[in-house]
Amino acid sequence: MSTPPISSVHLAQTPAMTLAWKDLVKYSSSAVGVFDDQFKCLYHSDSWHQIGFGSQHSVGKYFFDIFPQAELVWADLLAQCQGGESMKGDPHRFVFSDGRILWLACEARPWKKENGGIAGVLITLHDHTKEFVARNQYSGEYFQLAEACKLGMLAYWEWKAGHGMLNFSSQLPLIYNLDPEDVQIRSFPEIVASMVVPEDVDRFMEVRNLVYTEQKPQDLLYRIRTPDNQIRHIRTTYQLFEQDPDDGALLIKGITQDITSLNQTQQRIDGSEQAFRHVMAKGGIAMLLLDVDLTCIGMSPVLSNMLGQIPYADRQVPFLSLMHPVDRLDKDTVLTELITNLKDSITVEKRIRHAEGYYLSLEFTFTVVRNEEGAVRMLVGHVNNQTLQREQVTKMAFDNEELERLVLTRTRALEEANTNLQMSNDQLERFAHTIAHDLRAPIRHMQGYAEVLTEDYAQLLPETAQKFLGYIQKAGDKLGTMVDQLLQFAKDSNHPLMLEWVDLSKLIDELKELLLTDTLHADTIDWVLDIKARVWGDPYLIRVIMQNLMSNAMKFSSNQTNSTIIIKAFYDETGTTIEVEDHGIGFDMQYYEKLFLIFERLTGQPHFPGTGIGLASVKKAVDRHKGRVWAESKIGEGATFWVSLPGQ
Amino acid sequence: MKQGLVITPKIILVDDDPLEAQLVSHGFEKVGIQADFIYFDSGKRFLEFVEQDAAQTKDVSLVLLDLKMPLMNGKEVLSACQSRSLPKLPIVIFTSSSHPVDINDCYSLGASAFVTKPIKREEYLDSLKKIADFWVGINQRMSK
């Protein structure tokens, strides 16, 4: 047997590590037991049972209670280990109550807590029996079985053909309820044969003949009727076959055991187990049986069906392997508590894998089944399927969660959009101010120095130079205006829309006053107003629209024969339409597409100054109201602009 | 010194653009302000001057400080004056900016006044005159 691959014996602190570590122990091929610092067994490998502790479950018991024979041999070794040293002992011969003899070596290592303190001891029992049997080292010692016989039910004996019993332990007559003298006589085998109950006689004789003829180890089970009329169950083990070195006669050494009480218990168990299995199989209840190491040792067909599995009764899967990985983690606190005697029954909910891969939420109520000595023998669990309820709860939680998440996502998107908008507004404003500073400064220098020239040095310049100086000043003025309008356009584009009812008549009156001072020949304009509407819009942007349309109309009407400007406004449920008609120079409809584009001008005449920003501003403002702007014109006859804005 | 006992006021111009500075000084002359103009083309040079010799700064009537300058802008100059506890000078921000944030920042950093450069020539000259009348005048009154 190999040493388990545990390089560092350290109690893993995280549940996952603990789980992995426990699995490492559980499936170790060596018999490994994990004990606490008081040598109380916490858990052990599956192979632990092979040593001979199988009939009594070890978890929760002290090492020397599980393995009393070891106390004499290993007490010192383990005490040293308890002090923190890793210890390894030589193989030692042990006799077990069922007669088996094993040569075991003990390897003990302390396992430590996070803080370095001793948490307990990890005991590995290495089975060296095969080596020792091979070397035949133990044959001569086999019958010094005094200790084993102290156990009461067991007797050893040594029988020589033609001589009868050479040697036997004092228990042997007691087992048969005979006098020791009866055992000593040559006809003892016949006496025994005569005691065998009729039903077992044939088998008894058959096996015994086999023993003499084949001279191979045999177990013989039979019932006898004792002189005081009791039925006893006896097991005789014929173990060793030798030849007497003196006369070559057959020597047989063996053990005889009274297994009556064992058998009766077994029968009782068999009976109740039969009943139990009947309930399991036919009861229509989802049930589960777990061994102390949480191996699933039985499952009712109802549960098998629920899980889409064939019954596990004879397949023995680890219960944990059926569980959702996340749900395995609290195994320690819940089921171990149950097993280590702290509780008698417990209800846990676990997600269990269906054969098709999805998980069912099952509620297990586990009850502890104990043996006569009170040790936990197995866990019986009955199962309620909670999947539907859980799914509903989960779905509701999911729906809510999804809704909340959606709201959150949208809110964030909105906030982000707001922030971006705020940023683009801020950036634009910064940009506008940068332009204002960077472009205006050189323009102002141009104008300033031209001014200085005109003021201080005009008399020194020839007339032509003075004229050119004038051109520089005009260009400077125009550049200044363009920069200012461009800034205005950028600001208008980002002006936050605040909709309200705008009094159009009032606005137009105001603008008429304003434009009168700004526009050449404004006083020659004839105004015809037919305003039957108010406008649902942003007051500032409506102002931008009207101011540009009106100043354009005025500009292109000045110096014309007909300088009448007609403004009409009407509205219905769909919104407001404004019409601005002039009789000025008009524009060529061929270039209509360029009319509302920024920096585009449809007239090249120098006495109609412009920057090509005005109508672009109008278009922008109308677009922001989700409205429409369009125009019609004939060169020399005037132009009409329409703006249509949606209602409230 | 052009007029007997009257000390010619000192006006410091801080602007990265010499054209601008010259326009300002010409403007001052245009509106009849007689002054010695000291020009620094960066905030750093101006601070060096002030730090080097506090005595030189004694008879400075006015500092015209531009806001937007490379490396060290006007606000940084103001805050340096505050944090290095330099002698208190009447610093007037003379800039094309009219942004409320700039105005706020400058006053809270200890500027004596914030003046946006007017675009129109006449207004521009007028603002220069008002600045000079107030700050130069106040200094002359105080020195007496």
Side-chain angles (χ1 to χ4, degrees):
Chain A
M1 284 186 186
S2 60
T3 312
I6 303 168
S7 57
S8 163
V9 184
H10 226 279
L11 177 64
Q13 290 297 317
T14 64
M17 278 291 288
T18 310
L19 205 64
W21 195 59
K22 282 187 177 176
D23 277 353
L24 199 64
V25 170
K26 178 168 160 51
Y27 298 115
S28 168
S29 56
S30 291
V32 184
V34 180
F35 293 81
D36 68 14
D37 54 350
Q38 298 305 310
F39 293 110
K40 201 173 189 177
C41 184
L42 299 176
Y43 39 93
H44 53 70
S45 65
D46 290 346
S47 49
W48 185 253
H49 295 301
Q50 292 168 10
I51 297 295
F53 312 129
S55 58
Q56 291 175 336
H57 292 297
S58 305
V59 172
K61 291 189 172 178
Y62 294 102
F63 181 67
F64 293 126
D65 287 341
I66 298 164
F67 195 6
Q69 300 96 313
E71 190 162 14
L72 283 171
V73 187
W74 287 338
D76 288 348
L77 182 146
L78 290 176
Q80 265 174 292
C81 181
Q82 205 175 12
E85 278 184 70
S86 286
M87 301 299 296
K88 194 167 183 175
D90 288 327
H92 192 274
R93 186 176 64 87
F94 292 98
V95 180
F96 288 86
S97 56
D98 61 359
R100 290 179 311 124
I101 292 178
L102 294 177
W103 287 81
L104 301 175
C106 172
E107 191 179 349
R109 301 190 206 179
W111 54 272
K112 292 170 182 176
K113 294 175 195 160
E114 194 84 298
N115 62 15
I118 306 294
V121 176
L122 183 84
I123 298 177
T124 310
L125 299 178
H126 299 290
D127 188 348
H128 295 278
T129 310
K130 278 182 188 159
E131 297 162 45
F132 281 87
V133 171
R135 283 189 256 154
N136 204 20
Q137 284 195 355
Y138 76 109
S139 59
E141 299 170 297
Y142 188 78
F143 290 96
Q144 299 173 2
L145 281 176
E147 315 101 288
C149 296
K150 281 180 202 158
L151 292 169
M153 297 192 295
L154 199 70
Y156 77 90
W157 43 261
E158 193 176 352
W159 180 86
K160 184 176 177 180
H163 288 80
M165 287 293 177
L166 294 181
N167 208 351
F168 58 90
S169 60
S170 56
Q171 281 77 13
L172 191 60
L174 299 178
I175 288 170
Y176 293 102
N177 199 10
L178 294 169
D179 289 337
E181 290 78 21
D182 295 330
V183 178
Q184 284 169 323
I185 57 171
R186 267 177 64 188
S187 59
F188 175 62
E190 281 72 48
I191 294 174
V192 171
S194 70
M195 294 167 77
V196 173
V197 296
E199 299 92 311
D200 291 351
V201 169
D202 287 350
R203 193 159 52 87
F204 178 84
M205 298 309 291
E206 189 187 336
V207 172
R208 213 161 61 164
N209 286 338
L210 265 177
V211 167
Y212 294 129
T213 54
E214 295 193 357
Q215 299 190 12
K216 280 182 185 168
Q218 288 285 347
D219 253 359
L220 178 52
L221 290 162
Y222 53 98
R223 286 167 290 178
I224 54 166
R225 187 178 294 277
T226 57
D228 57 341
N229 218 12
Q230 290 175 28
I231 299 291
R232 285 187 180 180
H233 297 254
I234 307 291
R235 173 160 70 197
T236 298
T237 306
Y238 302 88
Q239 187 72 32
L240 267 177
F241 299 84
E242 290 171 354
Q243 282 191 322
D244 192 301
D246 299 332
D247 53 12
L250 177 64
L251 277 171
I252 302 177
K253 301 171 182 180
I255 298 167
T256 296
Q257 201 175 358
D258 179 350
I259 55 171
T260 313
S261 62
L262 208 66
N263 242 20
Q264 279 167 353
T265 311
Q266 191 59 46
Q267 275 170 6
R268 267 208 311 278
I269 290 170
D270 284 351
S272 58
E273 193 169 317
Q274 223 169 13
F276 179 73
R277 288 201 180 279
H278 183 80
V279 172
M280 281 271 285
K282 311 283 181 191
I285 309 166
M287 281 177 88
L288 179 72
L289 299 184
L290 295 186
D291 203 350
V292 279
D293 58 2
L294 301 184
T295 302
C296 174
I297 49 171
M299 196 183 275
S300 72
V302 178
L303 184 58
S304 304
N305 283 339
M306 198 186 280
L307 298 178
Q309 314 264 18
I310 55 164
Y312 277 113
D314 49 6
R315 280 181 54 193
Q316 305 230 337
V317 290
F319 182 47
L320 289 179
S321 73
L322 296 173
M323 232 182 251
H324 189 284
V326 174
D327 290 358
R328 290 178 199 176
L329 301 181
D330 64 349
K331 169 201 159 190
D332 294 337
T333 51
V334 181
L335 294 178
T336 311
E337 229 176 55
L338 202 59
I339 289 165
T340 51
N341 297 342
L342 292 173
K343 285 186 174 175
D344 276 338
S345 132
I346 208 158
T347 299
V348 288
E349 189 170 320
K350 299 284 181 191
R351 282 166 290 176
I352 301 294
R353 200 181 57 242
H354 189 273
E356 287 170 15
Y358 57 88
Y359 285 88
L360 299 168
S361 293
L362 302 184
E363 187 191 77
F364 294 88
T365 302
F366 283 110
T367 313
V368 173
V369 178
R370 296 175 193 281
N371 64 14
E372 284 161 347
E373 292 154 3
V376 178
R377 190 165 170 258
M378 63 166 85
L379 305 178
V380 180
H382 74 259
V383 185
N384 279 322
N385 191 350
Q386 300 286 339
T387 311
L388 270 179
Q389 282 103 307
R390 286 295 163 268
E391 271 175 1
Q392 275 165 0
V393 170
T394 314
K395 191 176 179 307
M396 270 164 64
F398 179 78
D399 285 351
N400 277 340
E401 219 173 273
E402 187 67 7
L403 201 66
E404 272 169 30
R405 198 180 304 132
L406 200 66
V407 169
L408 203 66
T409 312
R410 293 275 158 87
T411 310
R412 278 194 192 137
L414 208 62
E415 277 169 0
E416 202 178 324
N418 263 339
T419 312
N420 286 343
L421 203 64
Q422 190 62 46
M423 270 175 64
S424 76
N425 275 340
D426 289 351
Q427 281 169 355
L428 193 88
E429 230 175 296
R430 290 312 305 177
F431 176 70
H433 278 267
T434 306
I435 294 237
H437 187 276
D438 289 358
L439 285 186
R440 271 178 176 165
I443 293 167
R444 201 179 41 251
H445 296 164
M446 234 170 89
Q447 291 169 309
Y449 284 105
E451 203 77 34
V452 170
L453 269 182
T454 320
E455 284 166 6
D456 298 355
Y457 304 97
Q459 67 278 19
L460 298 178
L461 294 171
E463 209 174 314
T464 321
Q466 285 185 33
K467 197 169 72 183
F468 291 161
L469 192 57
Y471 292 163
I472 293 176
Q473 279 173 306
K474 272 192 182 169
D477 289 346
K478 185 175 176 183
L479 195 54
T481 314
M482 276 182 78
V483 167
D484 289 346
Q485 288 194 354
L486 188 59
L487 287 179
Q488 198 58 49
F489 178 75
K491 276 186 190 169
D492 294 351
S493 307
N494 276 274
H495 174 80
L497 213 55
M498 311 274 276
L499 298 177
E500 59 182 69
W501 285 112
V502 179
D503 185 338
L504 212 48
S505 301
K506 202 175 149 198
L507 176 65
I508 289 167
D509 285 345
E510 273 176 34
L511 288 171
K512 267 166 61 185
E513 288 297 313
L514 184 77
L515 294 169
L516 198 62
T517 56
D518 272 17
T519 316
L520 285 169
H521 313 296
D523 49 344
T524 64
I525 304 287
D526 290 325
W527 293 97
V528 178
L529 302 180
D530 182 12
I531 310 299
K532 296 195 184 88
R534 46 182 189 161
V535 180
W536 179 250
D538 180 277
Y540 174 76
L541 291 177
I542 299 297
R543 192 184 180 87
V544 167
I545 294 169
M546 292 312 296
Q547 182 171 348
N548 279 294
L549 290 180
M550 284 167 71
S551 79
N552 271 359
M554 289 166 79
K555 186 164 68 184
F556 295 112
S557 298
S558 63
N559 278 339
Q560 302 296 305
T561 48
N562 183 351
S563 57
T564 310
I565 296 174
I566 304 161
I567 306 180
K568 293 180 188 168
F570 42 89
Y571 80 99
D572 55 25
E573 62 276 11
T574 62
T576 308
T577 305
I578 304 162
E579 186 183 315
V580 179
E581 182 186 343
D582 69 58
H583 301 88
I585 60 166
F587 61 87
D588 189 346
M589 287 297 278
Q590 194 184 338
Y591 302 111
Y592 179 79
E593 282 174 12
K594 291 186 172 186
L595 189 62
F596 296 103
L597 296 182
I598 192 162
F599 297 130
E600 292 288 352
R601 302 198 62 221
L602 300 191
T603 172
Q605 296 181 35
H607 51 279
F608 295 115
T611 53
I613 296 173
L615 284 179
S617 296
V618 170
K619 175 90 166 78
K620 191 89 191 175
V622 171
D623 284 350
R624 296 201 54 207
H625 285 85
K626 298 191 165 51
R628 220 155 62 81
V629 56
W630 69 102
E632 264 179 26
S633 178
K634 266 187 187 167
I635 287 184
E637 292 183 16
T640 307
F641 284 82
W642 288 273
V643 170
S644 150
L645 299 174
Q648 191 174 12
Chain B
M1 294 209 199
K2 289 186 177 179
Q3 284 181 354
L5 283 173
V6 178
I7 301 164
T8 315
K10 266 186 194 166
I11 295 180
I12 293 179
L13 306 177
V14 188
D15 199 312
D16 61 305
D17 188 346
L19 281 182
E20 185 71 39
Q22 212 177 330
L23 204 58
V24 170
S25 60
H26 186 271
F28 274 127
E29 279 166 20
K30 193 89 188 165
V31 297
I33 305 297
Q34 299 293 318
D36 284 343
F37 292 101
I38 307 168
Y39 168 64
F40 297 101
D41 64 357
S42 75
K44 191 166 166 274
R45 294 240 164 87
F46 164 67
L47 290 172
E48 277 166 9
F49 169 80
V50 179
E51 274 178 324
Q52 259 168 25
D53 191 353
Q56 289 188 81
T57 65
K58 254 189 166 176
D59 51 346
V60 170
S61 303
L62 172 65
V63 178
L64 273 192
L65 178 62
D66 187 26
L67 257 195
K68 193 163 176 288
M69 294 185 288
L71 300 177
M72 194 179 205
N73 65 34
K75 292 182 197 175
E76 285 163 334
V77 173
L78 286 173
S79 94
C81 284
Q82 268 189 344
S83 63
R84 299 182 201 173
S85 343
L86 297 177
K88 200 96 169 91
L89 289 170
I91 298 178
V92 174
I93 304 297
F94 197 52
T95 174
S96 53
S97 167
S98 59
H99 199 282
V101 172
D102 286 341
I103 297 173
N104 243 333
D105 287 355
C106 288
Y107 278 118
S108 57
L109 285 168
S112 300
F114 188 102
V115 180
T116 304
K117 290 173 189 169
I119 296 163
K120 287 190 175 158
R121 177 71 179 165
E122 309 85 62
E123 290 170 15
Y124 182 81
L125 291 178
D126 194 41
S127 70
L128 283 181
K129 183 160 169 38
K130 281 176 179 155
I131 292 170
D133 280 353
F134 185 79
W135 294 104
V136 175
I138 223 175
N139 279 285
Q140 281 174 346
R141 283 194 296 279
M142 280 169 75
S143 64
K144 279 174 192 171

